[in-house]
Amino acid sequence: MFPFMAQGHFIPFLRLAKPLASQGLTVSFITTTMSASKLQSHAVGSDIRFVRLSLPYIRGQLPALESTDCLSPTEGQQLFISSHKLSVPFERWLEKIIAETAQKPACIISDVFVPWTTDSASKFRIPRVVFHTTGVMAASLLQYLFTNPVPEIIGGRPIIEIRDHSINVNLRRSELPQMLRSELSFSPLPVLPVVQQVYASAKESCAATLVNSFDGVEAEYVRYLEESTCKPVWLVAPPLDNAHEWVQIESDCIAWLDSKKKKSVLYVSFGSQIFLSEDLIKAVAAGIEASKQAFIWTIKDPIGSNVNSCDFLPEGFVEATRDRGLVIHGWVPQLQILSHSSTACFMSHCGWNSTVESISAGVPMVVWPMVFDQFINAKLVIEQLGIGLQICEGCDVIPSSDIVENMVKAAMVEGTGKEMDRRALKRKKSIEETSCKVNVESFVGYILSLRPDQFN
């Protein structure tokens, strides 16, 4: 298994590695030396072997920075477009393991964002299985958008009509990844061609596709991926509980939640890679304070800065909300918070891991998508699942405190929120009734049935 080097990708890969290992398979988890050291504790008790690859030198980047969790956005893009440098040590490892065991790996399950593994798999005649760590709707729409000529399908249109095979979706221009919205979109690095390669490779050169989602949430989009790739697709996200918690830390927030009424607390978090500016923090704080709702808010500092983002909170905010609010500087056990009976709603950037965890817990959402697939995730949550409301979208938009207040109230105390809560609990039940285990077993059977001569 070969994930892209980012926490949002490591999490679903490890969650998939465990049921694969339970099938009696030896799972080799390929990543960089620094990342492996951080991840090993999450695989205790499973037959998961971490393979450490040394990341070759990337110009302008310190050798120790091997994961986007330690990098600024620009440095993270540099890591993305330079990750192909890992192909040499990866292929050396493949040669070594094949020589030692006298057999080839059954397959290479690689992140959609490490497309160069297609060439390595072809060279050794091993099937490459693409793993989308996004949802199926996002994977389907992004594949379509990035494998068709951008001027033809987008142009200057405010609404992009996507009609391909079984898919029939309209996207607003604002729901597109930023790099597709305008010819004026600027990045100091050539990211767009690499992303186009990512999805072209996933579409044309895979033996099968796995997606980090549930049959009980997005099964209707599986058909499109199967039609477009002409290969089978399985949804392999497990129903999540506290045993899947990523951040294993002691936190006073659980005891604090224990003291609150059932379904009375708003949980606020914008993930591991989104950092709010001073103006955005002030807008969120003013809206939360005006809503009069109890809340837990975890605030993280921008990577590579000496900024304490808690200093951006309005003067007197913590004191004014002390009886009903808890601000935490740093990490929290998110799954435990979402699974707690006192948690009523999740204000989120709609990153897919956070969205999956909220759906698994049966918790409605107030969303503020910022980048890439988050806009499509928000569309799924609001329009198709009916379990969310949107504050605004984009990193550069500053919502009024009134909008924040009104969305929080609508989700937590008004009739809209009660209906969202009913749908969210129904969706949670549908997830619990579907079996990731069955899908994983079916996938393993398929892979083991493939013949080597199919991968010349």
Side-chain angles (χ1 to χ4, degrees):
M1 301 184 75
F2 203 140
F4 180 65
M5 292 79 74
Q7 180 173 301
H9 296 245
F10 292 143
I11 291 173
F13 264 83
L14 277 171
R15 286 174 178 167
L16 174 59
K18 293 177 182 180
L20 285 173
S22 73
Q23 296 290 309
L25 303 174
T26 298
V27 177
S28 297
F29 198 100
I30 318 293
T31 190
T32 57
T33 302
M34 184 182 75
S35 297
S37 300
K38 291 181 177 181
L39 297 172
Q40 276 190 299
S41 63
H42 296 281
V44 173
S46 301
D47 191 6
I48 301 172
R49 303 177 184 182
F50 285 87
V51 177
R52 295 165 169 79
L53 302 183
S54 296
L55 182 67
Y57 173 73
I58 298 174
R59 181 176 297 178
Q61 195 153 297
L62 295 175
L65 302 183
E66 299 178 358
S67 168
T68 61
D69 313 317
C70 310
L71 304 175
S72 69
T74 299
E75 290 171 331
Q77 290 180 350
Q78 181 67 65
L79 179 64
F80 168 52
I81 65 175
S82 302
S83 69
H84 65 88
K85 293 177 181 289
L86 285 167
S87 62
V88 173
F90 177 53
E91 291 179 9
R92 284 178 186 153
W93 175 79
L94 280 173
E95 289 173 346
K96 178 175 178 288
I97 201 70
I98 292 169
E100 289 176 350
T101 63
Q103 61 181 353
K104 297 177 182 179
C107 67
I108 297 170
I109 301 175
S110 62
D111 200 304
V112 68
F113 283 98
V114 284
W116 52 266
T117 52
T118 295
D119 294 334
S120 298
S122 177
K123 179 177 178 180
F124 287 86
R125 296 179 63 189
I126 301 170
R128 182 207 176 192
V129 176
V130 171
F131 186 22
H132 291 274
T133 57
T134 61
V136 197
M137 181 179 181
S140 299
L141 297 182
L142 292 171
Q143 178 182 281
Y144 175 85
L145 291 167
F146 283 106
T147 57
N148 283 282
V150 173
E152 291 181 21
I153 63 171
I154 298 175
R157 300 177 184 89
I159 301 293
I160 293 83
E161 299 179 352
I162 300 178
R163 309 287 185 267
D164 189 40
H165 295 287
S166 60
I167 207 165
N168 187 336
V169 176
N170 291 342
L171 289 178
R172 290 179 286 110
R173 193 177 194 84
S174 61
E175 293 171 329
L176 297 174
Q178 181 65 36
M179 69 184 76
L180 293 178
R181 293 184 199 176
S182 169
E183 294 178 0
L184 298 178
S185 295
F186 173 74
S187 170
L189 299 168
V191 176
L192 178 57
V194 183
V195 177
Q196 289 172 323
Q197 179 195 2
V198 159
Y199 286 99
S201 176
K203 180 178 179 180
E204 298 164 6
S205 306
C206 68
T209 299
L210 303 176
V211 190
N212 180 34
S213 192
F214 310 101
D215 287 331
V217 175
E218 296 187 286
E220 65 269 30
Y221 287 96
V222 170
R223 181 181 169 191
Y224 173 76
L225 281 183
E226 289 182 331
E227 290 170 340
S228 61
T229 64
C230 299
K231 295 294 190 300
V233 176
W234 287 272
L235 307 189
V236 293
L240 302 176
D241 54 32
N242 290 345
H244 293 90
E245 184 66 76
W246 182 253
V247 181
Q248 298 289 347
I249 58 174
E250 294 293 327
S251 177
D252 294 338
C253 67
I254 303 303
W256 185 88
L257 280 169
D258 290 340
S259 70
K260 300 302 176 186
K261 294 180 181 177
K262 184 177 180 180
K263 291 190 178 296
S264 66
V265 176
L266 171 71
Y267 170 52
V268 183
S269 175
F270 293 95
S272 60
Q273 297 283 293
I274 299 295
F275 306 96
L276 301 188
S277 68
E278 180 174 0
D279 288 340
L280 296 183
I281 287 177
K282 283 180 164 36
V284 172
I288 290 174
E289 182 175 358
S291 75
K292 307 297 184 187
Q293 302 304 304
F295 68 91
I296 289 178
W297 184 359
T298 172
I299 299 178
K300 303 177 187 72
D301 299 332
I303 293 169
S305 77
N306 296 318
V307 170
N308 181 336
S309 294
C310 287
D311 292 341
F312 295 154
L313 291 166
E315 186 176 353
F317 171 79
V318 173
E319 186 60 36
T321 60
R322 187 175 300 279
D323 62 333
R324 59 182 173 84
L326 182 63
V327 175
I328 299 173
H329 189 203
W331 295 98
V332 296
Q334 180 162 290
L335 266 173
Q336 290 184 53
I337 292 173
L338 289 171
S339 301
H340 199 283
S341 60
S342 295
T343 303
C345 186
F346 182 14
M347 183 184 292
S348 169
H349 62 311
C350 235
W352 186 243
N353 285 324
S354 290
T355 303
V356 161
E357 291 173 1
S358 197
I359 294 171
S360 283
V363 174
M365 304 179 75
V366 172
V367 302
W368 183 350
M370 304 280 188
V371 296
F372 205 62
D373 64 309
Q374 295 166 14
F375 305 102
I376 298 173
N377 300 341
K379 189 179 186 73
L380 174 75
V381 165
I382 296 165
E383 297 180 14
Q384 303 214 8
L385 304 182
I387 60 171
L389 299 172
Q390 184 162 300
I391 296 172
C392 59
E393 55 191 6
C395 301
D396 302 324
V397 178
I398 302 175
S400 70
S401 59
D402 288 343
I403 290 175
V404 177
E405 174 191 357
N406 292 338
M407 291 298 102
V408 170
K409 284 182 175 178
M412 295 186 65
V413 299
E414 297 174 6
T416 300
K418 290 181 174 60
E419 183 60 23
M420 284 165 46
D421 185 62
R422 183 190 67 78
R423 293 193 198 104
L425 291 173
K426 183 178 179 181
R427 193 65 62 173
K428 175 186 178 184
K429 185 177 180 181
S430 73
I431 291 170
E432 293 170 344
E433 291 172 348
T434 59
S435 178
C436 159
K437 184 172 183 250
V438 170
N439 287 354
V440 170
E441 289 174 352
S442 175
F443 160 70
V444 170
Y446 169 79
I447 286 297
L448 295 180
S449 73
L450 295 177
R451 303 185 313 274
D453 59 7
Q454 293 175 265
F455 302 97
N456 290 317

